């Protein structure tokens, strides 16, 4: 290439191509000064009668224009240039200087010789019939390569070399754009279980080694076309294509679990690594982020259940409902909108009311009645149970004291208040109970606390202290829903428990299931041996009431006798069953 050849005139175009050799450069001195002063590749072009010709170039332009060619002549170089994207762009500009774009970018060449060029055109004064312009070419190759490298870095996880979360979402998006129907793809989220424990006990280097090995094994469990990414610290994402819908997705999950079943050799130790897998199936026009979140949601359930889970939309709506219930429950508690109802507990021998169980009721302004089995777990999860529990304790003891005042004497019955395991673990139960007794003036014997086996299981030491403190206040302790938890019989013997409440599931099963009868009998004789009394929950028929009475159960509770009642109705009910 003639790098020194600054002034050339070559014309190309459909007509008068022969002019290229004859026409001398016609360049104003100012323009040439401008051209030579430019530190970048530049040339002056002219369009006359549809023929594009170059009037002058600087050395850099020649280098650039010839950089991708073999040893061709200047004429050939410019001919090629004029027919290439730069020439076409320049021609269009000169043909329509007012409206055609004056800037463009394009890539030229392949592989390592690929160049990225930016072209900028500026108008120059021309003679009649000539349109002229200055072309400046910036070689952006280095810049674009740096940008591309940076972007590749941004999309790659540096530890495993896999695509990262950002890149994975892009991949899902691209796959989503191509799908014609639902369930052509699925996203699997694979979570390395107990990874933080491995990291803490063996060090982060061993943790890194484990992740790399885990990633390698994952790859070996995938099929061609599946895309693997590291989407979080101990979380991997896989995009799989499906032929037979959810069955294929579960098969992929099974393959992954198979490849993880052999122990991992990390720092000379063999460790077993388990993973939880959540699956979300892609629907047409689905947001990639949403799809990924769905798979993450499914992984949470997979952890709890212990096997791969497929995301079900209803789970997410249930989660949303739980969240809004939490907000509204907080408000309802602050505004004192909850009510306490009282369900009679009947002495099965005498048929009189032995006591009442206080049960929280919430009528929501828009949603209507919300069941305690829905809002109590939300209150437990959010910690609102502490506020709710204190409220129930105060309200129940005050109602009892109120009934005493109304009837003019101490009612021979008690009130039972439910205590959640969260209250036992986090609140000062003894303090709350003694405060409630003091402010209502009720004696401890008139109060029963219903606790579940879960309050013992979580922290037996603390539970023992709480139970003993309650006994010191003369209160009665009842084990609620007995038979559904995991408490050991040793604790049952050790702890000061007065009453076993036999869970409704065993009671209601008694009439059709001999096993339930056997369980109820066993609980009754266990209670007898330990010197405890018994209450059967969920008595809905007279047969159940008489059978349980015949088996020796002390008291019963259920819709057969009465549903939970408002305070006034409960007192009336007590009066109505009074025999003396
Ligand atoms: P629980 O303590 O086992 O209360 C007995 C539940 O069984 C009550 O449900 C009661 O309405 C229901 N029940 C009683 N007899 C029958 C029957 O014959 N048939 C049927 N199908 N059900 C019967 P509820 O009121 O829906 O309360 C559910 C659970 O919510 C309670 O179970 C208790 O664990 C919890 N809970 C309710 N109020 C409170 C509260 O103030 N504090 C705490 N910590 N938990 C509460
Ligand atoms: Mg209860
Ligand atoms: Mg119960």
């Amino acid at each position: 290439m003639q790098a020194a050849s600054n002034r050339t005139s070559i014309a190309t175009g459909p007509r008068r191509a022969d002019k290229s050799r004859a026409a001398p450069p016609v360049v104003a001195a100012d323009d040439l000064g401008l051209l030579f002063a430019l530190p970048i590749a530049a040339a002056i072009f002219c369009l006359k009668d549809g023929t594009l010709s170059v009037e002058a170039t600087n050395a850099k332009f020649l280098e650039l224009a010839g950089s991708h060619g073999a040893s061709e002549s200047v004429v050939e170089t410019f001919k090629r240039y004029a027919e290439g994207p730069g020439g076409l762009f320049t021609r269009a500009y000169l043909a329509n200087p007012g409206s055609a774009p004056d800037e463009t970018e394009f890539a030229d060449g392949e592989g390592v010789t690929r160049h990225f060029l930016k072209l900028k055109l500026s108008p120059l004064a021309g003679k009649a019939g000539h349109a002229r312009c200055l072309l400046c070419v910036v070689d952006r190759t280095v810049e674009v390569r740096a940008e591309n490298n940076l972007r590749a870095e941004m999309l790659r996880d540096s530890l495993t070399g896999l695509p990262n979360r950002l890149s994975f979402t892009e991949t899902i998006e691209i796959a989503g754009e191509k799908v014609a129907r639902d369930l052509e793809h699925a996203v699997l989220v694979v979570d390395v279980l107990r990874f933080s424990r491995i990291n803490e006990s063996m060090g982060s280097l061993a943790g890194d080694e484990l992740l790399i090995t885990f990633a390698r094994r994952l790859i070996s469990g995938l099929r061609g076309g599946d895309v693997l990414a590291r989407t979080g610290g101990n979380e991997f994402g896989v995009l799989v294509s499906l032929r037979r819908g959810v069955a294929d997705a579960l098969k992929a999950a099974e393959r992954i679990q198979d490849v993880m079943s052999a122990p991992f050799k990390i720092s000379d130790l063999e460790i077993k690594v388990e993973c939880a897998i959540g699956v979300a199936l892609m629907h047409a026009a689905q947001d990639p982020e949403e799809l990924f979140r769905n798979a993450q949601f499914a992984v949470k359930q997979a952890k709890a259940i212990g096997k791969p889970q497929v995301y079900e939309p209803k789970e997410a709506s249930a989660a949303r409902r739980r969240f809004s219930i939490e907000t509204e429950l907080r408000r309802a508690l602050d505004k004192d909108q909850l009510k306490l109802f009282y369900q009679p507990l009947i002495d099965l021998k005498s048929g009189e009311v032995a006591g009442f169980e206080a049960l929280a009721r919430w009528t929501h302004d828009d949603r209507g009645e919300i069941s305690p089995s829905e809002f109590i777990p939300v209150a437990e999860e959010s910690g609102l149970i502490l506020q709710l529990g204190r409220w129930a304790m105060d309200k129940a003891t005050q109602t009892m004291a109120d009934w005493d005042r109304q009837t003019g004497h101490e009612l021979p019955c008690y009130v039972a208040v439910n205590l959640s395991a969260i209250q036992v673990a986090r609140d000062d139960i003894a303090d709350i109970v003694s405060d409630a007794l003091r402010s209502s003036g009720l004696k401890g014997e008139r109060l029963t606390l219903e606790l579940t086996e879960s309050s013992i299981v979580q922290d037996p030491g603390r539970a023992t202290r709480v139970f003993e403190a309650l006994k010191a206040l003369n209160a009665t302790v009842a084990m609620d829903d007995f038979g559904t938890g995991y408490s050991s019989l040793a604790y049952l013997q050790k702890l000061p428990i007065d009453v076993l409440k036999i869970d409704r599931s065993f009671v209601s099963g008694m009439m059709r299931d001999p096993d339930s009868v056997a369980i109820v009998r066993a609980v009754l004789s266990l209670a007898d041996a330990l010197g405890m009394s018994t209450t059967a929950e969920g008595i809905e028929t007279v047969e159940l009431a008489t059978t349980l009475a015949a088996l020796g159960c002390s008291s019963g509770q259920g819709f057969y006798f009465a549903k939970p009642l408002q305070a006034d109705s409960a007192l009336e009910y007590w009066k109505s069953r009074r025999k003396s």
Side-chain angles (χ1 to χ4, degrees):
M1 176 58 58
Q2 292 176 282
S5 161
N6 303 334
R7 302 181 69 187
T8 321
S9 177
I10 298 139
T12 57
R15 285 177 288 144
R16 301 172 62 181
D18 53 335
K19 277 259 169 191
S20 61
R21 262 171 273 117
V26 190
V27 180
D30 280 358
D31 296 345
L32 276 179
L34 178 69
L35 187 68
F36 296 133
L38 282 172
I40 51 175
I44 293 172
F45 280 91
C46 168
L47 185 73
K48 188 167 180 272
D49 300 333
T51 303
L52 182 70
S53 58
V54 65
E55 290 181 1
T57 73
N58 64 9
K60 282 200 162 51
F61 184 85
L62 280 179
E63 259 173 54
L64 203 75
S67 63
H68 37 75
S71 50
E72 58 190 357
S73 71
V74 178
V75 177
E76 280 165 346
T77 301
F78 283 105
K79 189 162 183 294
R80 191 166 40 74
Y81 178 82
E83 284 161 5
L88 295 174
F89 171 69
T90 311
R91 184 192 296 278
Y93 173 81
L94 287 174
N96 265 310
S99 54
D102 61 358
E103 220 176 285
T104 190
E105 283 188 34
F106 67 89
D108 199 12
E110 286 305 324
V112 283
T113 65
R114 192 164 173 82
H115 273 64
F116 298 89
L117 304 175
K118 180 172 177 173
L119 273 54
K120 168 95 182 110
L121 298 169
S122 323
L124 291 176
K127 286 193 219 140
H130 287 62
R132 299 172 68 244
C133 69
L134 172 70
L135 165 74
C136 295
V137 187
V138 181
D139 186 353
R140 294 194 61 238
T141 306
V142 175
E143 207 178 322
V144 171
R145 279 196 191 137
E147 268 172 27
N148 287 347
N149 287 344
L150 208 66
R151 191 172 152 70
E153 278 305 304
M154 269 172 62
L155 293 172
R156 202 171 57 91
D157 165 52
S158 55
L159 179 69
T160 57
L162 290 172
N164 61 14
R165 163 89 196 253
L166 184 67
S167 165
F168 191 56
T169 328
E170 281 187 14
T171 310
I172 301 175
E173 193 168 3
I174 293 165
E177 279 161 8
K178 289 187 202 144
V179 301
R181 57 177 174 83
D182 279 358
L183 314 189
E184 274 182 33
H185 296 280
V187 166
L188 273 64
V189 166
V190 185
D191 194 293
V192 187
L193 293 176
R194 289 177 287 281
F195 176 70
S196 54
R197 278 243 300 273
I198 296 168
N199 233 4
E200 278 159 21
S201 56
M202 298 175 68
S204 57
L205 274 181
D208 286 355
E209 200 181 328
L210 170 68
L211 287 172
I212 294 168
T213 320
F214 190 91
R216 276 205 203 114
R217 284 216 197 161
L218 263 177
I219 293 171
S220 72
L222 303 183
R223 286 180 321 195
D226 294 350
V227 182
L228 174 66
R230 181 170 172 222
T231 49
N234 59 334
E235 182 196 81
F236 293 85
V238 188
L239 177 72
V240 295
S241 51
L242 313 172
R243 257 172 287 140
R244 291 175 304 126
V246 68
D248 276 0
L250 288 171
K251 199 98 203 121
E254 203 179 301
R255 276 199 309 275
I256 292 172
Q257 286 195 314
D258 279 353
V259 295
M260 299 305 167
S261 60
F264 283 64
K265 217 169 153 50
I266 306 288
S267 312
D268 295 334
L269 284 176
E270 287 212 336
I271 49 174
K272 182 108 180 64
V273 177
E274 285 178 10
C275 60
I277 305 178
V279 179
L281 303 168
M282 187 192 278
H283 295 274
Q286 187 171 23
D287 174 46
E289 273 295 332
E290 185 196 4
L291 180 67
F292 187 75
R293 273 199 309 274
N294 293 349
Q296 281 184 317
F297 192 85
V299 109
K300 267 196 201 156
Q301 293 177 309
K303 277 186 204 169
I305 293 170
K307 58 179 187 180
Q309 289 299 301
V310 180
Y311 170 80
E312 304 263 2
K314 68 173 186 309
E315 307 296 346
S317 61
R320 267 198 298 278
R321 181 171 159 99
R322 268 203 300 283
F323 185 70
S324 74
I325 282 187
E326 178 187 328
T327 317
E328 289 164 36
L329 181 62
R330 181 169 282 120
R331 201 175 306 141
L333 277 167
D334 289 342
K335 290 189 178 166
D336 198 20
Q337 286 174 339
L338 259 59
K339 286 216 160 92
L340 213 49
F341 274 43
Y342 300 88
Q343 188 175 28
L345 302 154
I346 308 294
D347 181 323
L348 292 179
K349 254 200 206 122
S350 68
E352 291 194 19
V353 176
F356 289 93
E357 176 172 7
L359 293 160
R361 288 289 175 270
W362 178 23
T363 310
H364 187 278
D365 288 343
D366 308 319
R367 301 176 203 249
E369 184 98 6
I370 300 180
S371 159
S373 39
E374 182 166 12
F375 71 79
I376 295 287
V378 174
E380 287 178 329
E381 242 171 62
S382 59
L384 283 173
I385 194 70
L386 304 188
Q387 193 183 344
L388 192 152
R390 284 166 185 250
W391 163 83
M393 189 70 67
D394 289 340
K395 195 90 189 158
T397 46
Q398 272 159 23
T399 303
M400 205 34 123
D402 209 37
W403 288 345
D404 288 355
R405 268 192 297 278
Q406 283 184 43
T407 51
H409 66 284
E410 215 174 68
L411 235 54
C413 77
Y414 62 88
V415 67
V417 179
N418 288 287
L419 281 182
S420 147
I422 308 288
Q423 287 174 272
V424 175
R426 308 225 308 249
D427 222 342
D428 189 343
I429 301 286
D431 227 36
I432 293 168
V433 172
S434 65
D435 280 357
L437 291 176
R438 198 177 319 114
S439 65
S440 63
L442 213 65
K443 287 185 190 146
E445 303 83 86
R446 308 274 306 284
L447 181 65
T448 294
L449 285 318
E450 294 195 1
L451 294 111
T452 52
E453 290 165 88
S454 53
S455 18
I456 308 172
V457 176
Q458 274 173 17
D459 183 351
R462 188 180 170 97
T464 310
R465 288 192 295 278
V466 171
F467 280 44
E468 277 163 2
L470 290 174
K471 290 312 299 170
L473 292 167
N474 290 327
T476 304
V477 174
M479 193 59 10
D480 204 352
D481 308 335
F482 185 69
T484 57
Y486 298 96
S487 66
S488 79
L489 293 178
Y491 278 112
L492 212 56
Q493 190 191 20
K494 241 191 284 173
L495 289 169
I497 297 164
D498 308 293
V499 183
L500 290 187
K501 288 192 79 175
I502 309 168
D503 191 68
R504 176 153 60 90
S505 55
F506 305 121
V507 175
S508 52
M510 277 174 77
M511 287 304 165
R512 49 187 151 77
D513 174 16
D515 286 351
S516 290
V517 181
I519 291 172
V520 172
R521 274 179 192 277
V523 175
L524 290 173
S525 63
L526 178 74
D528 193 40
L530 296 172
M532 300 172 184
S533 64
T534 42
T535 302
E537 299 179 335
I539 300 180
E540 293 188 353
T541 61
V542 62
E543 289 81 13
L544 273 176
T546 46
T547 310
L548 282 157
L551 287 173
C553 182
S554 339
S555 52
Q557 168 186 16
F559 295 170
Y560 166 64
F561 300 112
K563 288 199 167 174
L565 305 164
Q566 299 243 33
D568 293 349
S569 316
L571 182 58
E572 287 311 311
Y573 186 85
W574 176 82
K575 288 178 189 161
S576 74
R577 291 195 78 102
R578 198 74 182 135
K579 297 205 170 131
S580 53

